[in-house]
């Protein structure tokens, strides 16, 4: 299992192949999946057995990159040591904290947890392998948007690291993203070019160059053509899903929800997870292929069914308000096809 970019927990199931969001929640509850900041300062979902060796490669670099903002906000080694001392005993015995409760624990210990500070301290504690994000926080009437903070030593099993952790990260990345170049890999993994080259050298025959500068896992298979699929906001790391630059990331770094066919991003769509509402409206044009409305409607219906726990989508009982359709996926329109740029990616909006 590779680490999958997921800035919101609800995208997990669409990346891991779970049939319903409830199955994803159950996997987090059983400790089979966790989330942590394993690469380039971004939260990922992964098998907990992979946490130690991944952070062994990336944690030091992430902490150095965060040093500037830490200094500006007065988050130094002493603050982080006090935070560890405050949080560790509270989480002992399989206890769990919401982010708000974590902020309270820090405040009670005399640590300023205002503004961005609480989240930055949380990230630092994750990089120090004190805590991880575990079970989801229940939310009445809608998919959860939050996960509990739990003690890493109680939720992460010790596991033998791969013989060459750097090479392993590259091979797993190519399994889900290949063919890809070293520049893409180093950006995704948050590694300098030198380490990316060392990973390629260490991978040896496990990786093959399919064309100039593009590599794939030697034993892997490329995505095949098939039904159109609706991928969740951060599913760009899911098998067969390609994130094209024109589709994201947005202002907060999150990748927009995408429509995928034959392993290629062909459009984006919007949705909201307000309680009792689900707004689905594809936006942006298709790329190189013309999709029919029925295939798009079917793809979005499958995503709603996933959120609904494997049940077919039903109309919302609550009025969603003007211009905001409920759970039904029938209301949408495909925009005009956009022209591709010189690099094969779609051009920007007019």
């Amino acid at each position: 299992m590779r680490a999958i970019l997921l800035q919101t927990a609800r995208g997990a199931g669409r990346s891991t192949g779970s049939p319903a969001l409830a199955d994803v929640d159950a996997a987090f509850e059983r400790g089979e999946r966790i989330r942590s900041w394993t690469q380039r300062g971004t939260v990922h979902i992964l098998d907990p057995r992979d946490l130690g060796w991944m952070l062994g490669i990336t944690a030091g670099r992430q902490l150095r990159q965060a040093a500037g903002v830490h200094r500006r906000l007065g988050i130094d080694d002493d603050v982080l040591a006090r935070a560890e001392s405050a949080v560790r005993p509270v989480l002992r015995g399989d206890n769990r904290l919401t982010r708000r409760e974590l902020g309270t624990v820090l405040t009670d210990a005399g640590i300023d947890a205002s503004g961005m500070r609480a989240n930055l301290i949380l990230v630092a504690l994750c990089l120090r392998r004190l805590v991880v994000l575990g079970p989801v926080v229940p939310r009445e009437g809608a998919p959860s948007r939050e996960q509990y903070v739990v003690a890493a030593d109680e939720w992460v099993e010790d596991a033998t690291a791969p013989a060459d952790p750097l090479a392993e990260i590259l091979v797993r990345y190519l399994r889900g993203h290949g063919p890809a170049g070293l520049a893409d890999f180093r950006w995704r993994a948050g590694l300098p070019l030198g380490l990316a080259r060392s990973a390629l050298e260490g991978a040896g025959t496990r990786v093959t160059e399919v064309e100039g500068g593009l590599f794939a896992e030697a034993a892997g298979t490329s995505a095949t053509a098939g039904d159109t699929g609706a991928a969740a906001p951060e599913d760009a790391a899911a098998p067969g899903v390609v994130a094209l630059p024109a589709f994201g990331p947005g202002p907060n770094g999150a990748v927009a929800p995408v429509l995928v066919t034959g392993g290629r991003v062909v459009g984006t769509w919007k949705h909201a997870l307000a309680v009792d509402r689900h707004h689905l409206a594809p936006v942006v044009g298709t790329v190189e292929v013309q999709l029919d409305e029925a295939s798009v409607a079917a793809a979005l219906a499958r995503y709603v069914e996933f959120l609904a726990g494997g049940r077919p989508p039903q109309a919302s009982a609550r009025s969603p308000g003007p211009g905001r359709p409920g759970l039904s996926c029938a209301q949408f329109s495909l925009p005009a096809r956009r022209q591709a740029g010189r690099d094969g990616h779609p051009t920007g909006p007019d």
Side-chain angles (χ1 to χ4, degrees):
M1 176 76 183
R2 63 197 176 283
I4 298 178
L5 168 64
L6 282 167
Q7 293 174 316
T8 59
R10 65 181 180 269
R14 301 299 288 182
S15 296
T16 58
S18 298
L21 189 59
D23 298 313
V24 181
D25 295 349
F28 281 121
E29 185 67 40
R30 294 191 299 266
E32 296 170 1
R33 297 290 180 267
I34 59 170
R35 287 169 76 220
S36 188
W37 283 261
T38 56
Q39 289 141 255
R40 62 180 179 82
T42 309
V43 67
H44 287 69
I45 180 176
L46 69 158
D47 187 316
R49 294 170 296 183
D50 291 331
L51 179 69
W53 64 266
M54 282 191 172
L55 288 182
I57 297 172
T58 65
R61 182 174 177 82
Q62 291 187 78
L63 286 168
R64 290 192 296 273
Q65 290 172 333
V69 67
H70 282 189
R71 282 194 298 271
R72 289 196 297 273
L73 295 176
I75 302 174
D76 55 19
D77 287 340
D78 177 66
V79 169
L80 294 178
R82 289 163 52 207
E84 283 196 30
S85 297
V87 172
R88 190 185 300 274
V90 175
L91 291 179
R92 189 172 296 129
D94 198 30
N95 198 7
R96 52 189 72 176
L97 297 170
T98 64
R99 293 200 185 199
R100 181 185 295 273
E101 291 168 345
L102 174 65
T104 300
V105 169
L106 296 175
T107 301
D108 290 346
I111 299 171
D112 183 2
S114 61
M116 297 172 53
R117 293 172 57 89
N119 189 64
L120 290 172
I121 291 172
L122 169 61
V123 174
L125 295 182
C126 283
L127 294 176
R128 291 177 170 220
R129 303 182 217 179
L130 176 72
V131 299
V132 296
L133 300 181
V136 300
V137 179
R139 182 176 181 227
E140 186 66 28
S144 178
R145 297 172 184 261
E146 185 182 2
Q147 288 174 268
Y148 286 111
V149 178
V150 296
D153 59 2
E154 295 183 6
W155 283 79
V156 177
E157 300 178 15
D158 291 332
T160 303
D164 189 334
L166 263 179
E168 187 68 21
I169 287 183
L170 173 61
V171 172
R172 295 190 187 194
Y173 173 77
L174 293 176
R175 188 175 301 158
H177 289 261
L182 280 186
D184 188 42
F185 164 68
R186 66 179 290 266
W187 180 81
R188 283 283 183 177
L191 298 175
L193 183 57
L195 285 182
R197 288 171 174 163
S198 296
L200 180 61
E201 181 180 353
T205 57
R206 300 176 66 190
V207 168
T208 182
E209 186 170 6
V210 295
E211 56 182 292
L214 294 179
F215 302 90
E217 184 183 15
T221 57
S222 61
T224 56
D227 293 338
T228 300
E234 290 82 25
D235 284 358
V241 179
V242 180
L244 301 181
F247 293 103
N252 67 347
V255 178
V258 293
L259 292 169
V260 180
T261 186
R264 187 172 181 82
V265 172
V266 293
T268 64
W269 51 283
K270 291 181 179 180
H271 71 155
L273 288 178
V275 176
D276 292 334
R277 294 190 308 219
H278 196 88
H279 171 58
L280 296 164
V283 295
V284 186
T286 58
V287 181
E288 294 186 355
V289 296
Q290 189 65 47
L291 299 178
D292 64 278
E293 294 189 0
S295 65
V296 174
L300 297 178
R302 288 194 295 272
Y303 187 74
V304 176
E305 186 174 346
F306 160 76
L307 290 178
R311 300 185 304 274
Q314 300 293 326
S316 174
R318 174 178 171 179
S319 174
R324 296 181 63 83
L327 275 173
S328 172
C329 299
Q331 301 173 2
F332 71 91
S333 61
L334 285 175
R337 181 175 176 177
R338 301 164 72 196
Q339 297 296 318
R342 288 181 303 171
D343 58 357
H345 296 157
T347 58
D350 295 334

